[in-house]
Amino acid sequence: MRLSLHSPANLMRILGGSLNARENFGDVLDRKVFHGATFADIFRRQGPEIRIHATDLHHRVPFPFLAPLFSILCSDLSRYSVADAVAASMAVPVLFAPIVVRTYPDHCQPLPPELASIDVKAEGSRQVNAIARATKSYRDPTRVRYIKLADGGLTDNFGVSTLTISRLVYGTPYAPMTERDAVRIRRLLVILVDASQGPNGDWTLHEAGPSGLALALSATDAAVDAAARHAAMPSVR
């Protein structure tokens, strides 16, 4: 990966949008960590379910890698690269370029009723309605052709919004569990890992600053920290 901030070429890359493109990180993950694995490989394995989520930068909502969501995109999650999903989930703006997911609105099959019924509701929360607006636009070729994904922490640093979105896209009160598991479960343990940075740097001691990359990263940290403070309790209550 490119790390030096003293290289003129790297400074130009930052001004162009990102220090590291997908091939600087995603390709390495694909070759050395996941060995070309797709979500089909995850679906075949035994063990706990694995959830990965990123942020839809344009609509500013969480983007979980769920099969029903990809069916809304007229795509197939089972064929999607695990490395790209992981790269998207940690693509901090400026340091990493967004990961691009393409929609295929010209080759759509009819959605099942529970997905077709997703819409903005007057009684719905702002978060759920924002997600409903985003998913509705994914099938409109005049509005969305490519979805740009960045660090999932920008919208939900704890990752618990996948529970909310699962209920929305699956259309059941027990999602992401199956009906059978939902009636059998007695206790639910949610482990939250807070990766927020908190205040850092010494520029509060000086009139000048922050500037450049420090300013961009501080803005990203502010977004992550603010989302983390608001995400946990409303989502798991």
Side-chain angles (χ1 to χ4, degrees), residues 62-215:
F63 184 96
F65 288 84
L66 298 173
L69 181 56
F70 270 66
S71 69
I72 293 175
L73 308 182
C74 311
S75 186
D76 181 2
L77 179 61
S78 67
R79 301 171 62 183
Y80 195 76
S81 164
V82 174
D84 276 1
V86 172
S89 74
M90 54 193 299
V92 176
V94 181
L95 291 183
F96 298 99
I99 299 297
V100 180
V101 170
R102 183 180 176 182
T103 68
Y104 297 88
D106 299 325
H107 302 87
C108 288
Q109 299 296 321
L111 287 172
E114 63 271 16
L115 295 182
S117 64
I118 295 176
D119 205 349
V120 176
K121 297 178 173 61
E123 69 278 9
S125 69
R126 294 184 64 183
Q127 180 193 39
V128 171
N129 280 342
I131 294 167
R133 291 188 188 95
T135 54
K136 201 171 187 64
S137 71
Y138 291 159
R139 284 206 158 203
D140 184 348
T142 66
R143 299 171 64 189
V144 176
R145 285 283 186 174
Y146 300 95
I147 302 170
K148 313 298 175 63
L149 302 178
D151 188 348
L154 296 174
T155 47
D156 182 1
N157 196 37
F158 292 142
V160 293
S161 64
T162 55
L163 301 175
T164 303
I165 299 174
S166 293
R167 293 184 65 182
L168 180 67
V169 300
Y170 282 102
T172 67
Y174 45 79
M177 295 179 288
T178 65
E179 185 175 7
R180 179 183 177 184
D181 288 343
V183 298
R184 294 174 57 189
I185 194 168
R186 292 294 178 266
R187 292 180 176 86
L188 178 65
L189 174 64
V190 179
I191 301 175
L192 305 179
V193 180
D194 185 1
S196 56
Q197 296 294 317
N200 60 76
D202 63 355
W203 39 270
T204 54
L205 301 175
H206 312 282
E207 182 177 358
S211 60
L213 184 60
L215 176 61

Side-chain angles (χ1 to χ4, degrees), residues 2 7-21 24 94:
R2 300 185 179 101
S7 164
N10 284 350
L11 293 176
M12 292 302 295
R13 291 185 181 99
I14 291 174
L15 291 175
S18 65
L19 181 58
N20 291 282
N24 300 116
V94 181

